Amino acid sequence: MGTMSAQPEITQRDLRNRSKEIMDAVQNGQSFTVTRDGHRIGELVPLRGRRRFVPRSEFAALSRSASGVSLDAFRADQDVTAEQETGDPYAR
């Protein structure tokens, strides 16, 4: 499992009895190793935060290297998609 870090160990019983306290700690960035009968059985770790926004400078830098878009080709693709039949695929 590779858990040789300094994260605290908690027993299955601790997790059950102190779940709110432990979950609050996880939400605040703390990780734990969970044990049962003295054996490590898992890790309780916070999820990595997802970025919701990309800084304008980063977007601009990435946009400079993006390939060009042909407006005519884009419209043609939309027309082809819009012209497809939308009938009932289960009709006999």
Side-chain angles (χ1 to χ4, degrees):
M1 202 177 307
T3 306
M4 299 309 287
S5 66
Q7 65 189 36
E9 289 187 0
I10 57 172
T11 64
Q12 179 182 1
R13 178 176 288 170
D14 284 338
L15 181 56
R16 182 183 64 234
N17 294 338
R18 300 174 32 225
S19 64
K20 181 188 182 327
E21 174 188 346
I22 292 167
M23 290 302 182
D24 287 346
V26 171
Q27 186 174 11
N28 290 321
Q30 178 68 54
S31 298
F32 296 92
T33 299
V34 181
T35 64
R36 182 185 331 164
D37 298 327
H39 301 284
R40 293 178 175 168
I41 61 168
E43 294 181 2
L44 191 56
V45 296
L47 295 175
R48 286 191 283 157
R50 292 187 345 208
R51 283 195 319 185
R52 293 183 180 217
F53 301 100
V54 176
R56 181 181 300 228
S57 58
E58 186 177 338
F59 178 78
L62 290 170
S63 296
R64 280 192 220 69
S65 62
S67 61
V69 174
S70 164
L71 188 56
D72 291 333
F74 178 73
R75 286 185 178 148
D77 286 345
Q78 284 184 317
D79 290 341
V80 168
T81 301
E83 292 172 1
Q84 293 178 2
E85 292 199 25
T86 58
D88 184 354
Y90 302 106
R92 292 181 177 191

